[in-house]
Structures are given as structure tokens and as C-alpha cells.
Amino acid sequence: MVGPANGSRTLTPRQVLSVVNGGQDSVMRVGPASVAGSDCGGVEFTREDVDALLNERIKPKNKFSLKEKCDAMSDYIKRLKMCIKWFQELEGDLLLEQVKHLNMLESAEKKCNDSEMLMSQKEEELNSIIIALRKNYTALQEKLAKEELDKLAAMVSLTKEKDARLSVERSQAPILEELERGQRESSSANQKILSLNDMYKRLQEYNTSLQQYNSKLQSELNETNEILKNVEKEKVAILENLSSLRGYCTSLQDQLTAAKESNNETMMIKEALKSEVGSLRLDIQQVRDDRDRQLSQVQELLAEVLIYKELTGKSAGELENLTTKSNELEAKCASQSDQIKKLQEKLDAAENKLAMSDLSAYEIRTGYEEQKKFTSDLQFRLAEAEIKLVEGEFLRKKLHNTILELKGNIRVFCRVRPLLLDEAAEDEPKAVSFPTSTENAGRGIELLQHGQKHSFAFDKVFVPESSQEEVFFEVSQLVQSALDGYKVCIFAYGQTGSGKTHTMMGAPGNADDKGLIPRSLEQIFESRQTLQNQGWKYEMQVSMLEIYNETIRDLLTRPGSTEARSKQYAIKHDANGNTHVSDLTVVDVRSSREVTFLLNRAAQSRSVGMTQMNEQSSRSHFVFTMRITGVNESTEQQVHGVLNLIDLAGSERLSKSGSTGDRLKETQAINKSLSSLSDVIFALAKKEEHVPFRNSKLTYLLQPCLGGDSKTLMVVNVSPAPSSMNESLCSLRFAARVNACEIGTPRRQTSVKQVDARLSYG
């Protein structure tokens, strides 16, 4: 049915055309025609109307009547024309709207381009403003920093001037005290001068009295001379009358002799008086000199008083100058503070502008922060991995040491000394190398001899560049065990000239090159100080001996003394596995300095000699023993530890050492004792029932360390010189056998303190 579609949807032009062309749109709506006076007169077509119009069949009432058919056909054609015309009008309207929309789109695009150009121009202007603001900001920051530096410099100078003023005031006080002290000394000197003047007056009076007495004696002497003259005259008269007056002459001679004696006595008294007068004159002269010296001291004190007064005046003037400078600096600081405030206001304005301009850069900064966070996360993971690696290495060492302690093995460290200048040869390959694999790094060593490579692995291998501190770091935990109540033994083994004494003792006078013995003692005394805070009190005793030609020598007695030659030292082991040497000097020590003094004393007494292999070759086995007893008052626990540090004499071949005479006997004794040590190691490695500890004094002394319950470490020293490869190979093979030996599990020596119990060494 054609007509207005009330309540139905209208078709869009595209939907109408699709319907006409056979489309399947479900909803169509046709808007009203915009052409006035058209035949369709505002007729609207819906989809149903168009479908009905297209599908309509002409059915006349009388199908045999042609007229009716023609009328129906003309009506149908008329409706079709109306529909087509409506579509044409609608299409024209749509074309007009499309043109209008295209024009609007072009204008909108033009406006958009203009706005984009305007925005780009504004963006460029803003960027230039931002750059200018940033430049101003940096300039202001630099200016502010410069002002801050000036301010700091001014403050520093002000503080310096204040300090100088305070120091001047402080120095003025002692100057005043010195002035008062000088015045007091001047007054005391004046009193001394007065007393000296009184003494001088008394001496003058005494001198006057002496002069009077001297004049009296002189008058008596004159009288005596006159008497003598008279006597002479009488003598002449008597001689004239000698024949008649002989008896009378004799009497006169007697009188004359008496007079001469009295004259001699008078002369002697005169000489004594002269000497006394001379001594009095010397005393007077000394008193005058003392008076002159006192007067000069008084004049010097007066001059110093004048100098102090002048200095006081100068310091007061300098203080006024400093005060004026301080006021000027304070005024300058105030003006600078105002300038800083103004600059701060400008800086705040610039920061506000910069904050507005930085809004556009927020996304870039956010991305950078995320990237930075990711990078820091990766760095943190890397640091954690490195820490875990270090902790794993430390745990591996700790577990390795624990396994060795549980197995009872003797730990072995190997140290290779550097090549000497006369040992290095450019054409010869290196005889000693160190593997770098993960398994053997720091633990392996390889020797090349006659083209054949010999590989060894120990608990630790030190390369020639290793320092004394690195070696002691690996030994420090073992030394600490002595304070915990364990028996610890560390001994150095190797051929002559391989660096044993350097490893154990170090170079004298060089603090960085100290050996294991001085460093161990320093650690023990430092740990004792730390453990005192936990209630521990330690007492320590030291003894030192050497085994020379199978004879024990006490190194703490005077060498060559009758006491040292007469004593016979015997080695004894008690039931607890402790070793004692009878009649050996034992010294109580309280500091590492005391032990160092004893070490130097023992080093001077130790037997050394020159061979072809070493200018300062140790010709004896040196044994340092420290017995440690600790008591904890709070827990009433006692510990008994022993630290044995041994420097063995070097093994050597007679063909190389060129020893003769006493050196030959020494070499034979050294090689015999080291051979006995090798026999003991072989017996321990084979777990034989009988171990020949008594074959030498050395092995018998080391019996608790090699076959007991102590913690034992051997440091095998190796020479890298190609000429010493045979000896180095023998030393490393011996060290490998030692490392394979199993001894008793280390046992801590502890006990509970009894009431009123005294410290004793087990």
C-alpha cells in the first residue's frame, strides 16, 4: 500500500537504492521530498511499500476486460513514476548535501592545517622559551653556586678570624700569666739582690776585720824584726866579749833559736792568713758575679715585660682590626643574603616556568626512570649473584676445612717464592705453572721437568706474587683456634733457600713483610683484648728452642754460658698429649712487644751458616711454643691451648751445598732428622701399628702434632728456579704424602674452673 508510513522507520538514500537493486537491508526510511510542487507531494516510501509495489500483480476485476487492465496498468505505472521521481529528487538532495559536506570537510581540513601550523609555531616558540629559561636557570644556578661559595668562603674566613681572635685571646691569657710570673720572679730577684747586698756588706765588714787583724800581725812582725835587729847587735857585742861571756852567749843563742822558731810560726800564720784572704776574695768575686748575673736576669725579665707589653698592644690593635673586618664581612653577608633572596625569587619564577615546560617531557622522564629502574634491578641481581658467589666460596672453604678436620688430615699449603735475578733465564721455559681451571684454581701447581709435567693439588697454593698478608689470612683461623683451646702446629718445610724463614719470620724492620710468627702473635693479643669484654682472662707463656745436630738448645738463655752448656734437655709427653721439655726457659708474656723482643733475642742465638745454596742458611730446627690458658669468670670455664710455630732447617744435597767440616756434620744431622720425619709420614700414611717417632728429636717433639689430636698445617716452600727442580719435586711429593695422612680428630681442651683453682698449663 502506497502512502505515508505512520510509525514506521524512514529509509536512507543508500538503503532505498539497495532495496531497489535487490538489497536485503532490514530497515529503510525515506525522508520528505524537498522539491515544492512535485507530484509525489511529500509521499514517503517504506521498504514494505517498495517491496509491495515491486511485487504487485495487476489483477483486474474482469480479466477479459482490456480497459480495466489498461487502467490498472496505468495506475501501477503512475505509482512507479512517483516512486522513481521521489528517488531522483532524493538523489539530487543527497548530491547537494554531499557537495556541502565536501566543502565543509575541505574548510575543516584547511582550518586543521592552519591550527597545526600555528601549533608548530607555538611549540617552536615554547621550545625556544624553554631553552632560554633553562639557560637562565643554569646561569642562575651557577651564579647562586658562586654566591654560595663566596658566602662559604666569607664564613670560613669569618670563622678563621674568630678562631684567630679566640687564639689571640687565649694566647693573651698565658702572656699575662707569664707577665705576672715575670713580675713575681722580678720581685723575688730584687729580694735576692737585697739579701746579696746584705751578704756583701757583711763580707765587706768581715774583710775589714781581716785587714785590721792583718795590720796587727804586720805590726807584730815589725816589732819582731826590730827585736831581731837588737838581738843581732847584742850578738855582735857578745861575740866581742865571747871569751869572757861564753856561757852567757850560749844562753843568748838559745834565746835566738826560740825567737827564730817564733818568727817561723809567725810567718806560717801569715801565709795561712794570706791564703784565707785569697779564698775570701774569691768568694767575694763569686758573690759579685752572682749579683751581676742576677742583675742581667732582672734586666732580661724587664725587657721581656716590655716586649710582652708591646705584643699585648699589637694584639689589641689586631683584635680591633679583626673586629672591624668581621663587621664588614657581616654587612657583606647581609647584602649577599638579600641578593640571594632576590635570586631565589627569580629562581622560583624560573622553576615555575620550567615546571610548566617540563610537563611535555614527563613521559620521556617516566620511560627513563623505568629503564633506570630496570637497569638498577639488573645491577642489584648481579651484585646479589656476586655476593652469593663469594659466600659460596667461603662456605666451600669452611666445609673443606671441616671435612679435613673430621677426616683428621694434615692440611698442606704450598708457597712458591719469586725468582731471583741470577736465577731467571730468558731462553728457558717456566718450570712452575699454576692451573686456572675452576676445580684447581688457587689449589693446583704444575712442575715441568725434562718435558714431563707433574701436577699436584693442595689445600692452598700461593703464587710468587702473594704477599705475607695473603698467606697469613689463610692461616689466621687456625691461629685463632689456639685461643679456643686447641693444640695448633704450623711448620715450614722445604729445601735450603726456598723461603721458609722468610715465610715464618719475615724481613726484620719491615712492617709489611712480617712473617707468620709475628702476625700470629699480634692476632692472639688483639683477640685477647676483644675477648676480655666477654669475661675471658688469658695467661700466656713462651719458650723457644732449636734442635742443632740432634741436640736441644734453649734460645732464651745466654749462648755459651755455663748454665746453657751444663743443662740436659729431655722431651716428655704427658697423658693429655701435651709436650714438655725439662729445664727449658719459660717466660710469661703480656704483649706482642715482649714476644718480639724474645724473638729477636732467639734469632741472634740461632745457628746459621753460609753454604753454596744460601748465604744465611738456617742450620737448625727452630721451635716457638706459646701455651695459652684462658678463664671465663662468668661461666667458670677454662681452656688450654698450645701454639707451635716451627721453622725447619732446609734439606740440601751435599753435592750442591759444598758443605765441609762443621757444615758437613750439620747437613748430615739435618738430612737425618728430615729423613726420620719422612719415615714417620710414610708410616702414618700406611697406617702402620708402629710409627718411629723416637728416631730423632724432631719427630719425637712433633709426635702430638703428627699423631695426636692437634690442628696441624705444613707450609711447603718451593723454589721456581730450573736448577732446583729435583728438590722442588721431592718437596711436593713429600707434601702430597703429608696431605694424605690421617691423624686424630682435633680435640678442644676445656675444663670447669674449681673453687680457688689456680691457672695451670696442661
Side-chain angles (χ1 to χ4, degrees):
M1 189 73 185
V2 178
N6 297 323
S8 62
R9 293 182 178 179
T10 58
L11 293 173
T12 62
R14 189 174 296 277
Q15 290 173 339
V16 171
L17 291 175
S18 64
V19 170
V20 173
N21 295 323
Q24 300 296 323
D25 294 308
S26 60
V27 179
M28 293 180 297
R29 180 178 179 84
V30 179
S34 61
V35 181
S38 62
D39 292 338
C40 52
V43 178
E44 293 181 355
F45 293 90
T46 63
R47 178 178 178 181
E48 290 82 6
D49 295 338
V50 175
D51 290 337
L53 183 60
L54 294 174
N55 295 324
E56 185 179 351
R57 296 288 184 268
I58 300 172
K59 295 180 179 180
K61 294 179 180 179
N62 188 2
K63 56 183 175 180
F64 298 105
S65 176
L66 184 59
K67 186 178 179 182
E68 289 180 2
K69 286 182 179 181
C70 289
D71 292 336
M73 183 63 70
S74 61
D75 184 50
Y76 180 68
I77 291 168
K78 184 178 180 181
R79 281 185 283 136
L80 284 175
K81 286 181 178 180
M82 288 176 63
C83 183
I84 290 167
K85 190 173 182 180
W86 181 79
F87 272 114
Q88 289 176 351
E89 292 176 354
L90 184 60
E91 186 177 3
D93 293 337
L94 289 174
L95 290 173
L96 291 174
E97 288 181 0
Q98 185 179 5
V99 172
K100 185 177 179 182
H101 287 159
L102 288 173
N103 293 330
M104 290 174 67
L105 181 62
E106 289 177 357
S107 62
E109 287 179 351
K110 187 176 181 181
K111 288 181 180 179
C112 184
N113 292 329
D114 294 338
S115 62
E116 285 181 355
M117 290 176 65
L118 186 61
M119 287 293 291
S120 63
Q121 291 176 358
K122 289 184 178 180
E123 187 177 0
E124 291 177 355
E125 291 176 358
L126 286 174
N127 288 330
S128 62
I129 292 170
I130 289 168
I131 292 169
L133 288 173
R134 285 178 177 172
K135 289 181 180 178
N136 292 331
Y137 177 67
T138 54
L140 289 172
Q141 278 186 335
E142 292 175 356
K143 193 172 182 181
L144 180 62
K146 187 176 180 182
E147 292 291 336
E148 289 289 338
L149 290 174
D150 294 338
K151 182 181 177 181
L152 289 173
M155 294 296 290
V156 168
S157 62
L158 181 61
T159 53
K160 286 182 179 178
E161 290 177 357
K162 287 182 179 179
D163 294 337
R165 184 172 60 186
L166 292 173
S167 63
V168 168
E169 291 177 355
R170 294 194 197 98
S171 62
Q172 188 177 6
I175 288 171
L176 293 174
E177 292 177 357
E178 290 180 359
L179 181 61
E180 292 176 356
R181 188 165 58 251
Q183 289 176 353
R184 289 195 296 270
E185 290 177 355
S186 177
S187 61
S188 63
N190 290 328
Q191 291 177 359
K192 288 181 181 178
I193 290 169
L194 293 174
S195 63
L196 289 172
N197 288 329
D198 295 336
M199 187 182 292
Y200 180 67
K201 289 179 181 178
R202 288 196 297 272
L203 288 173
Q204 283 181 342
E205 291 174 356
Y206 181 64
N207 191 14
T208 305
S209 64
L210 287 175
Q211 288 177 355
Q212 292 175 357
Y213 181 66
N214 192 12
S215 61
K216 184 178 179 181
L217 288 175
Q218 190 70 29
S219 62
E220 289 179 355
L221 184 61
N222 294 328
E223 290 176 356
T224 304
N225 289 328
E226 290 177 356
I227 291 170
L228 285 173
K229 290 178 180 179
N230 294 327
V231 168
E232 288 290 336
K233 291 178 180 179
E234 290 176 357
K235 182 180 178 182
V236 171
I238 289 169
L239 287 173
E240 291 177 354
N241 300 315
L242 183 62
S243 57
S244 61
L245 297 173
R246 189 175 295 277
Y248 182 73
C249 182
T250 304
S251 63
L252 287 176
Q253 285 180 352
D254 294 334
Q255 291 178 3
L256 180 62
T257 304
K260 286 182 178 179
E261 289 177 355
S262 63
N263 189 17
N264 290 331
E265 290 177 359
T266 305
M267 293 297 291
M268 290 174 66
I269 291 169
K270 180 181 177 183
E271 293 295 329
L273 289 173
K274 283 184 178 180
S275 61
E276 189 174 357
V277 168
S279 62
L280 288 173
R281 285 176 179 174
L282 290 174
D283 292 335
I284 291 168
Q285 186 64 33
Q286 187 175 1
V287 168
R288 287 176 179 174
D289 294 336
D290 292 335
R291 184 193 64 182
D292 295 333
R293 187 166 57 253
Q294 292 291 334
L295 288 172
S296 64
Q297 288 181 358
V298 169
Q299 290 176 358
E300 289 176 358
L301 289 172
L302 290 173
E304 288 181 359
V305 167
L306 293 175
I307 291 170
Y308 287 148
K309 287 181 179 179
E310 291 176 0
L311 289 174
T312 306
K314 289 182 180 179
S315 61
E318 290 176 356
L319 184 62
E320 290 178 358
N321 293 330
L322 290 172
T323 305
T324 54
K325 288 183 179 179
S326 177
N327 294 329
E328 290 176 359
L329 286 171
E330 287 177 354
K332 189 176 180 181
C333 287
S335 63
Q336 287 180 352
S337 299
D338 295 333
Q339 291 179 1
I340 288 169
K341 287 181 181 179
K342 292 179 181 179
L343 290 172
Q344 190 66 38
E345 292 175 357
K346 292 181 181 180
L347 181 61
D348 293 334
E351 285 179 348
N352 292 328
K353 292 180 182 179
L354 186 61
M356 293 174 64
S357 64
D358 283 341
L359 291 175
S360 61
Y362 177 77
E363 293 180 355
I364 299 173
R365 191 181 297 114
T366 305
Y368 172 74
E369 293 293 333
E370 291 177 355
Q371 190 69 24
K372 187 177 179 181
K373 185 178 180 182
F374 180 72
T375 306
S376 62
D377 188 24
L378 289 177
Q379 291 177 350
F380 179 75
R381 289 181 183 178
L382 181 61
E384 281 185 343
E386 290 177 352
I387 292 170
K388 288 180 180 178
L389 182 63
V390 173
E391 291 176 350
E393 182 65 19
F394 179 78
L395 183 61
R396 185 194 68 77
K397 289 182 179 179
K398 188 176 180 181
L399 292 174
H400 178 69
N401 293 335
T402 305
I403 291 169
L404 289 176
E405 288 178 3
L406 294 175
K407 288 172 65 178
N409 286 38
I410 300 176
R411 274 177 276 186
V412 176
F413 289 171
C414 176
R415 187 179 190 186
V416 182
R417 69 163 174 81
L419 273 172
L420 302 179
L421 294 176
D422 56 349
E423 293 175 344
E426 297 179 356
D427 54 347
E428 291 183 1
K430 287 187 177 180
V432 179
S433 61
F434 306 92
T436 58
S437 60
T438 306
E439 182 180 0
N440 292 324
R443 299 179 61 246
I445 181 173
E446 294 176 353
L447 261 68
L448 185 65
Q449 185 186 34
H450 305 305
Q452 185 179 0
K453 185 180 290 186
H454 303 273
S455 300
F456 300 90
F458 302 103
D459 299 302
K460 183 66 178 178
V461 174
F462 298 98
V463 298
E465 294 79 16
S466 299
S467 63
Q468 298 278 64
E469 185 177 0
E470 293 176 36
V471 177
F472 179 73
F473 177 78
E474 297 292 335
V475 180
S476 58
Q477 292 299 322
L478 194 63
V479 174
Q480 187 68 27
S481 300
L483 282 172
D484 298 334
Y486 289 93
K487 288 183 289 186
V488 177
C489 178
I490 302 172
F491 64 97
Y493 178 88
Q495 71 178 88
T496 299
S498 59
K500 300 182 300 301
T501 304
H502 177 76
T503 298
M504 298 304 292
M505 298 297 296
N510 191 348
D512 296 332
D513 215 13
K514 291 182 291 188
L516 294 183
I517 295 178
R519 291 177 187 269
S520 300
L521 298 174
E522 289 177 0
Q523 178 180 338
I524 285 174
F525 284 101
E526 288 174 1
S527 300
R528 185 184 72 170
Q529 287 293 116
T530 305
L531 292 172
Q532 280 182 355
N533 300 328
Q534 302 176 10
W536 285 96
K537 293 182 179 179
Y538 287 92
E539 291 183 1
M540 300 177 185
Q541 292 181 329
V542 165
S543 63
M544 301 180 203
L545 62 89
E546 70 172 355
I547 301 175
Y548 175 77
N549 287 347
E550 283 300 301
T551 303
I552 295 177
R553 290 182 177 180
D554 189 356
L555 295 178
L556 296 183
T557 59
R558 286 188 302 169
S561 62
T562 306
E563 181 183 3
R565 289 195 299 268
S566 62
K567 284 186 178 180
Q568 295 294 325
Y569 304 97
I571 302 172
K572 298 178 182 179
H573 303 298
D574 60 14
N576 294 324
N578 296 309
T579 303
H580 300 276
V581 179
S582 62
D583 296 330
L584 189 67
T585 303
V586 179
V587 181
D588 293 321
V589 291
R590 291 177 294 275
S591 66
S592 60
R593 184 177 297 176
E594 294 180 4
V595 184
T596 303
F597 173 77
L598 295 175
L599 280 171
N600 294 332
R601 179 177 168 185
Q604 294 175 359
S605 302
R606 190 179 178 187
S607 301
V608 295
M610 184 178 69
T611 66
Q612 292 181 4
M613 299 181 67
N614 192 0
E615 292 182 358
Q616 290 288 328
S617 177
S618 302
R619 312 309 295 169
S620 64
H621 307 299
F622 171 74
V623 181
F624 171 91
T625 301
M626 173 178 278
R627 299 184 181 277
I628 304 169
T629 299
V631 177
N632 194 320
E633 298 291 341
S634 59
T635 61
E636 296 185 352
Q637 185 182 14
Q638 282 186 344
V639 294
H640 307 279
V642 180
L643 177 63
N644 292 307
L645 301 171
I646 303 169
D647 180 16
L648 298 178
S651 61
E652 59 189 33
R653 295 186 180 183
L654 294 175
S655 60
K656 281 194 173 184
S657 63
S659 301
T660 58
D662 292 337
R663 296 290 176 266
L664 178 61
K665 294 180 181 179
E666 293 168 356
T667 303
Q668 290 173 345
I670 291 169
N671 290 339
K672 180 183 176 183
S673 61
L674 294 177
S675 178
S676 300
L677 179 62
S678 179
D679 294 338
V680 168
I681 294 299
F682 279 123
L684 289 172
K686 294 179 180 179
K687 297 184 179 180
E688 295 179 357
E689 293 181 1
H690 173 69
V691 181
F693 287 110
R694 291 181 178 268
N695 285 0
S696 72
K697 295 283 181 66
L698 175 64
T699 54
Y700 192 52
L701 186 66
L702 294 179
Q703 181 177 352
C705 304
L706 298 176
D709 53 359
S710 69
K711 293 185 177 182
T712 305
L713 167 68
M714 183 180 87
V715 182
V716 57
N717 291 267
V718 176
S719 170
S723 59
S724 302
M725 278 302 100
N726 290 328
E727 289 78 9
S728 298
L729 189 59
C730 291
S731 297
L732 291 176
R733 285 173 176 167
F734 177 75
R737 294 191 188 98
V738 172
N739 202 15
C741 289
E742 294 181 4
I743 60 177
T745 304
R747 179 172 59 87
R748 189 182 184 193
Q749 295 183 338
T750 60
S751 61
V752 179
K753 180 184 176 185
Q754 302 295 330
V755 180
D756 295 332
R758 298 182 66 185
L759 294 178
S760 62
Y761 293 92

